[in-house]
Amino acid sequence: MPVFYGTEVASPLMLGTAQYPSPAVLAEAFRASGAGIATVSLRREQGGGQDFWSLIQGLGTRILPNTAGCHTVKEAVTTAHMARELFGTAWVKLEVIDHTDTLQPDVVGLIEAARILSQDGFQVFPYCTEDLGICSRLLDAGCEVLMPWGAPIGSGMGLNNRYGLRSLRAHFPDVPLVVDAGIGLPSHATQAMEMGYDAVLLNTAVARAGDPAGMARAMALAVQAGRAAFLADPMAPRDMAAPSTPVLGKAFLT
């Protein structure tokens, strides 16, 4: 099981808590998923009040507050401080959003905010790109976990840059890596885990499915399959065919 900042979590599947048709559906999806971590927006908590907070506490998962919707360093840092007080945890999923169409991270602001929060005792999970240089600077800023995107948030497009994600895994073999955003199908989650990623974080794929609990269950099986395949050391792909049946001893007809 993945270990983040010295804490082992119950599952490599991390689920968001937004966009569900009802609190009951959210709870059912979490039960079906066995998710180890629930991400929670401070904005969502403020809108849902005590009932929503009680529901989240009852899920039995680790809480990861996020700074979703923040576009500046100041806004993200302030939101993180408010979340720490409200949720009682030093964990924070740090988002500093640049462009509103793509919701891609403002990587310059992200590094600055990560440094400020790390120095203030936060354990930061930065939502970032798969850029090696940016990720190196986030580690230098104090982050011990990286969360590169698979594709734009909510797009469901899967892993847009598999080469970049594979390179990141190879470059940082000992850093916990989580694919965050863009996962739309269980096969996308499996691909990330087959690369050796430690976990995946998704929300919309489950919350907007016709059967959220069914999709949550499928995602749970997908991450398990992907992790098992990675640990089984899969074969390397070949350009040429290779017989699976030995030709030694084959009868020759004349």
Side-chain angles (χ1 to χ4, degrees), residues 142-156:
C143 299
E144 297 182 12
V145 178
L146 297 171
M147 302 183 76
W149 64 351
I153 294 172
S155 68

PDB file of all heavy atoms in Angstrom, residues 142-156:
ATOM      1  N   GLY A 142      10.335  21.134  -0.714  1.00  0.00           N
ATOM      2  CA  GLY A 142       9.901  20.422   0.487  1.00  0.00           C
ATOM      3  C   GLY A 142       8.843  19.366   0.278  1.00  0.00           C
ATOM      4  O   GLY A 142       8.463  18.658   1.218  1.00  0.00           O
ATOM      5  N   CYS A 143       8.333  19.219  -0.959  1.00  0.00           N
ATOM      6  CA  CYS A 143       7.304  18.204  -1.221  1.00  0.00           C
ATOM      7  C   CYS A 143       7.940  16.810  -1.203  1.00  0.00           C
ATOM      8  O   CYS A 143       9.038  16.612  -1.734  1.00  0.00           O
ATOM      9  CB  CYS A 143       6.649  18.446  -2.582  1.00  0.00           C
ATOM     10  SG  CYS A 143       5.809  20.039  -2.730  1.00  0.00           S
ATOM     11  N   GLU A 144       7.240  15.851  -0.637  1.00  0.00           N
ATOM     12  CA  GLU A 144       7.700  14.462  -0.631  1.00  0.00           C
ATOM     13  C   GLU A 144       6.807  13.579  -1.492  1.00  0.00           C
ATOM     14  O   GLU A 144       7.018  12.367  -1.567  1.00  0.00           O
ATOM     15  CB  GLU A 144       7.747  13.930   0.807  1.00  0.00           C
ATOM     16  CG  GLU A 144       8.748  14.666   1.691  1.00  0.00           C
ATOM     17  CD  GLU A 144       8.823  14.105   3.097  1.00  0.00           C
ATOM     18  OE1 GLU A 144       8.276  13.006   3.331  1.00  0.00           O
ATOM     19  OE2 GLU A 144       9.420  14.773   3.960  1.00  0.00           O
ATOM     20  N   VAL A 145       5.806  14.172  -2.100  1.00  0.00           N
ATOM     21  CA  VAL A 145       4.867  13.476  -2.988  1.00  0.00           C
ATOM     22  C   VAL A 145       4.658  14.361  -4.211  1.00  0.00           C
ATOM     23  O   VAL A 145       4.648  15.599  -4.087  1.00  0.00           O
ATOM     24  CB  VAL A 145       3.513  13.235  -2.285  1.00  0.00           C
ATOM     25  CG1 VAL A 145       2.521  12.556  -3.233  1.00  0.00           C
ATOM     26  CG2 VAL A 145       3.693  12.407  -1.025  1.00  0.00           C
ATOM     27  N   LEU A 146       4.494  13.749  -5.375  1.00  0.00           N
ATOM     28  CA  LEU A 146       4.180  14.506  -6.585  1.00  0.00           C
ATOM     29  C   LEU A 146       2.895  13.966  -7.192  1.00  0.00           C
ATOM     30  O   LEU A 146       2.662  12.747  -7.183  1.00  0.00           O
ATOM     31  CB  LEU A 146       5.316  14.385  -7.611  1.00  0.00           C
ATOM     32  CG  LEU A 146       6.673  14.957  -7.190  1.00  0.00           C
ATOM     33  CD1 LEU A 146       7.746  14.575  -8.214  1.00  0.00           C
ATOM     34  CD2 LEU A 146       6.607  16.471  -7.034  1.00  0.00           C
ATOM     35  N   MET A 147       2.087  14.873  -7.737  1.00  0.00           N
ATOM     36  CA  MET A 147       0.809  14.476  -8.327  1.00  0.00           C
ATOM     37  C   MET A 147       0.681  15.035  -9.736  1.00  0.00           C
ATOM     38  O   MET A 147      -0.057  16.014  -9.976  1.00  0.00           O
ATOM     39  CB  MET A 147      -0.356  14.952  -7.444  1.00  0.00           C
ATOM     40  CG  MET A 147      -0.287  14.424  -6.029  1.00  0.00           C
ATOM     41  SD  MET A 147      -1.700  14.901  -5.012  1.00  0.00           S
ATOM     42  CE  MET A 147      -2.957  13.806  -5.637  1.00  0.00           C
ATOM     43  N   PRO A 148       1.387  14.452 -10.708  1.00  0.00           N
ATOM     44  CA  PRO A 148       1.273  14.932 -12.085  1.00  0.00           C
ATOM     45  C   PRO A 148      -0.085  14.595 -12.692  1.00  0.00           C
ATOM     46  O   PRO A 148      -0.673  13.560 -12.381  1.00  0.00           O
ATOM     47  CB  PRO A 148       2.400  14.181 -12.800  1.00  0.00           C
ATOM     48  CG  PRO A 148       2.532  12.903 -12.023  1.00  0.00           C
ATOM     49  CD  PRO A 148       2.291  13.295 -10.585  1.00  0.00           C
ATOM     50  N   TRP A 149      -0.529  15.482 -13.571  1.00  0.00           N
ATOM     51  CA  TRP A 149      -1.818  15.231 -14.219  1.00  0.00           C
ATOM     52  C   TRP A 149      -1.684  14.179 -15.314  1.00  0.00           C
ATOM     53  O   TRP A 149      -0.621  14.015 -15.918  1.00  0.00           O
ATOM     54  CB  TRP A 149      -2.407  16.521 -14.774  1.00  0.00           C
ATOM     55  CG  TRP A 149      -1.640  17.210 -15.887  1.00  0.00           C
ATOM     56  CD1 TRP A 149      -0.380  16.904 -16.353  1.00  0.00           C
ATOM     57  CD2 TRP A 149      -2.093  18.321 -16.650  1.00  0.00           C
ATOM     58  NE1 TRP A 149      -0.019  17.759 -17.349  1.00  0.00           N
ATOM     59  CE2 TRP A 149      -1.046  18.645 -17.564  1.00  0.00           C
ATOM     60  CE3 TRP A 149      -3.253  19.073 -16.672  1.00  0.00           C
ATOM     61  CZ2 TRP A 149      -1.157  19.699 -18.475  1.00  0.00           C
ATOM     62  CZ3 TRP A 149      -3.354  20.117 -17.584  1.00  0.00           C
ATOM     63  CH2 TRP A 149      -2.328  20.424 -18.461  1.00  0.00           C
ATOM     64  N   GLY A 150      -2.778  13.443 -15.542  1.00  0.00           N
ATOM     65  CA  GLY A 150      -2.831  12.551 -16.684  1.00  0.00           C
ATOM     66  C   GLY A 150      -3.369  13.295 -17.893  1.00  0.00           C
ATOM     67  O   GLY A 150      -2.924  13.103 -19.019  1.00  0.00           O
ATOM     68  N   ALA A 151      -4.338  14.176 -17.653  1.00  0.00           N
ATOM     69  CA  ALA A 151      -4.980  15.002 -18.673  1.00  0.00           C
ATOM     70  C   ALA A 151      -5.717  16.108 -17.906  1.00  0.00           C
ATOM     71  O   ALA A 151      -5.776  16.066 -16.670  1.00  0.00           O
ATOM     72  CB  ALA A 151      -5.948  14.163 -19.513  1.00  0.00           C
ATOM     73  N   PRO A 152      -6.253  17.112 -18.602  1.00  0.00           N
ATOM     74  CA  PRO A 152      -6.968  18.175 -17.896  1.00  0.00           C
ATOM     75  C   PRO A 152      -8.068  17.643 -16.971  1.00  0.00           C
ATOM     76  O   PRO A 152      -8.730  16.643 -17.265  1.00  0.00           O
ATOM     77  CB  PRO A 152      -7.547  19.013 -19.041  1.00  0.00           C
ATOM     78  CG  PRO A 152      -6.549  18.849 -20.138  1.00  0.00           C
ATOM     79  CD  PRO A 152      -6.094  17.408 -20.035  1.00  0.00           C
ATOM     80  N   ILE A 153      -8.249  18.343 -15.875  1.00  0.00           N
ATOM     81  CA  ILE A 153      -9.233  17.965 -14.859  1.00  0.00           C
ATOM     82  C   ILE A 153     -10.617  17.794 -15.478  1.00  0.00           C
ATOM     83  O   ILE A 153     -11.091  18.646 -16.237  1.00  0.00           O
ATOM     84  CB  ILE A 153      -9.291  19.043 -13.757  1.00  0.00           C
ATOM     85  CG1 ILE A 153      -7.974  19.088 -12.980  1.00  0.00           C
ATOM     86  CG2 ILE A 153     -10.461  18.804 -12.809  1.00  0.00           C
ATOM     87  CD1 ILE A 153      -7.873  20.250 -12.010  1.00  0.00           C
ATOM     88  N   GLY A 154     -11.258  16.692 -15.161  1.00  0.00           N
ATOM     89  CA  GLY A 154     -12.627  16.476 -15.612  1.00  0.00           C
ATOM     90  C   GLY A 154     -12.777  16.062 -17.058  1.00  0.00           C
ATOM     91  O   GLY A 154     -13.893  15.880 -17.534  1.00  0.00           O
ATOM     92  N   SER A 155     -11.650  15.914 -17.787  1.00  0.00           N
ATOM     93  CA  SER A 155     -11.740  15.609 -19.228  1.00  0.00           C
ATOM     94  C   SER A 155     -11.993  14.132 -19.499  1.00  0.00           C
ATOM     95  O   SER A 155     -12.576  13.771 -20.517  1.00  0.00           O
ATOM     96  CB  SER A 155     -10.452  16.049 -19.937  1.00  0.00           C
ATOM     97  OG  SER A 155      -9.353  15.248 -19.530  1.00  0.00           O
ATOM     98  N   GLY A 156     -11.502  13.261 -18.629  1.00  0.00           N
ATOM     99  CA  GLY A 156     -11.658  11.822 -18.859  1.00  0.00           C
ATOM    100  C   GLY A 156     -10.853  11.296 -20.029  1.00  0.00           C
ATOM    101  O   GLY A 156     -11.141  10.211 -20.537  1.00  0.00           O
TER     102      GLY A 156
END
